Amino acid sequence: MAARRLIVDVHTHVYLPRYANLLRSRTSVPRIVSAANNEDSERLLILDHEPSGGRPVGAQYWQRDEKLKFMDMHGISMSIVSSANPWLDFLPASEASKIALELNQDLEDYCETSPNLNGTRLQRLYGFGLLPLVPEITTSTLLETVQQISQLPHLKGLIMGTKGVGKGLDDPALDPVWAAIERAKLTVFLHPHYGVGGNPWGEVENGHVLPLALGFPFETTIAITRLILSGALDRFPSLRILLAHSGGALPQLSSRLASCIHHDPLVASRLNHDARYYIGRLYYDAVAYGSEELEFVSSAIGRAINYSPDGKSAVDIGSRRMMFGTDHPFFPPLSATEKWPSVTENLDAIEGVQTWSDGEKDGVLGGNALTLFDLQE
Ligand code: 5CU
């Protein structure tokens, strides 16, 4: 019988009970509303123009047992769980700083008390903490929160949106935060929430398709490109950033980006490397739903070695920087089915990459995450 592969999900979310209660207490978006004071009828409103009063939400979004059941159903051994968007973006600084500390401790408890991975000292759940990244927060508060996360043994990084403290990820005010994250060897999971543009170039209603399929990945693309253009990846050469949705359009546009930089002395003078080098400095989830897309991303990552001056800080095997994810509890099946198509499509996509060896597929399914998050038995 073939050995069962170890599968680690690096893109899986939770609204911790404390956060869900915060959303329930609100009268404007983001919020959870209940039509009849009954948990089954709750609806989530987080994006602009949620259809028909929001989407149904329930235990999948907050209960740990449901996460573990979902993992068991899909053969997922371990998950690195992160709070779902929009995190604390809508809170004033004083509230955001307090609840960030509380949520980080809640997530540590959620992971620490999770079952062991069979026959090992590892747990099945680890987490990404969060920072109170809102306007008017002080740098010292951000640094204290980085410190808190680094001392919680089951938190291996932090999830971050694209706004920084209101001026984007290329805001020089964030430099001490990047430095602290780098020192603590935490991984930043960069994730979108706002999308790009509401309804440019058309007016026809398309539900959530445009914001989720295009707006989310384009938002990530712009945010990480700004960070690259600021020279931050040169200033913080060991900073680890994991990009949601396989890096959006960044791998596809990286040669065009390199050419535009080359023609613009303002930016070119800021950077130590060709833009294609930085593609190999980043990590990517494998939430792309297609083998061809995964293969392309891994080849763009692998190409970075050609632009690496010392051959050290980039990998030539691009798949080593890619990791399986599900986006649970989002994209549930539309009708009763045993497994979620959003998960099986991503598993099939990894299996179907023609140029990856079995060892590379094992890496993307789980081994690469164990290495990145230092989860050795
Ligand atoms: O379906 C959605 O709205 C989402 C979301 O908000 N966040 C996410 O990570 N995936 C899907």
Side-chain angles (χ1 to χ4, degrees), residues 11 13 15 46-47 55 85 191 212 216 245 327 330-331:
H11 188 155
H13 300 297
Y15 288 122
I46 49 168
L47 303 179
R55 281 170 284 171
N85 48 299
H191 193 288
L212 290 179
F216 264 36
H245 313 118
D327 219 342
F330 296 104
F331 305 113

Side-chain angles (χ1 to χ4, degrees), residues 331-352:
F331 305 113
L334 294 181
S335 56
T337 113
E338 197 197 331
K339 293 191 176 176
W340 291 31
S342 55
V343 179
T344 54
E345 278 169 18
N346 278 314
L347 288 171
D348 291 347
I350 293 169
E351 195 51 55

Side-chain angles (χ1 to χ4, degrees), residues 86-330:
W87 314 287
L88 308 177
D89 290 16
F90 51 92
L91 291 177
S94 56
E95 272 181 61
S97 55
K98 178 168 175 290
I99 198 167
L101 296 174
E102 292 169 344
L103 289 170
N104 288 334
Q105 186 60 55
D106 290 350
L107 187 58
E108 170 65 19
D109 298 343
Y110 174 105
C111 299
E112 190 199 353
T113 56
S114 69
N116 275 92
L117 181 66
N118 280 346
T120 74
R121 280 183 302 174
L122 296 172
Q123 313 292 140
R124 291 193 67 192
L125 300 176
Y126 290 86
F128 290 102
L130 46 67
L131 299 179
L133 284 163
V134 295
E136 287 170 31
I137 199 79
T138 61
T139 303
S140 63
T141 302
L142 294 172
L143 296 182
E144 276 159 32
T145 317
V146 172
Q147 163 96 344
Q148 180 213 21
I149 294 170
S150 72
Q151 290 174 345
L152 293 172
H154 295 83
L155 300 194
K156 298 294 172 186
L158 51 100
I159 187 162
M160 195 184 270
T162 54
K163 282 194 164 178
V165 292
K167 295 183 181 169
L169 298 187
D170 51 358
D171 180 354
L174 292 178
D175 267 22
V177 181
W178 299 126
I181 292 171
E182 181 186 50
R183 252 193 325 273
K185 297 192 169 83
L186 294 169
T187 296
V188 175
F189 181 22
L190 181 58
H191 193 288
H193 171 67
Y194 297 94
V196 176
N199 49 359
W201 308 296
E203 293 181 352
V204 172
E205 173 58 54
N206 290 298
H208 275 157
V209 170
L210 284 172
L212 290 179
L214 305 186
F216 264 36
F218 287 174
E219 177 188 348
T220 308
T221 306
I222 295 170
I224 186 62
T225 302
R226 278 187 165 276
L227 191 68
I228 292 170
L229 298 184
S230 76
L233 298 189
D234 293 324
R235 292 197 297 286
F236 307 106
S238 302
L239 185 62
R240 300 169 185 179
I241 301 183
L242 168 65
L243 299 178
H245 313 118
S246 302
L250 180 68
Q252 172 67 40
L253 295 176
S254 54
S255 291
R256 182 171 174 83
L257 180 63
S259 172
C260 292
I261 294 169
H262 180 73
H263 289 91
D264 194 327
L266 170 73
V267 179
S269 62
R270 261 190 235 147
L271 300 180
N272 293 349
H273 302 286
D274 184 283
R276 287 162 284 200
Y277 162 78
Y278 303 107
I279 303 303
R281 278 279 316 280
L282 300 164
Y283 297 87
Y284 303 78
D285 73 22
V287 183
Y289 306 92
S291 303
E292 290 76 10
E293 287 84 351
L294 295 179
E295 184 169 351
F296 174 79
V297 174
S298 71
S299 65
I301 301 168
R303 184 183 58 179
I305 197 85
N306 301 331
Y307 300 93
S308 171
D310 56 5
K312 279 189 196 146
S313 37
V315 292
D316 52 352
I317 299 179
S319 66
R320 288 212 180 122
R321 284 181 177 258
M322 299 179 70
M323 284 155 251
F324 170 73
T326 62
D327 219 342
H328 179 259
F330 296 104

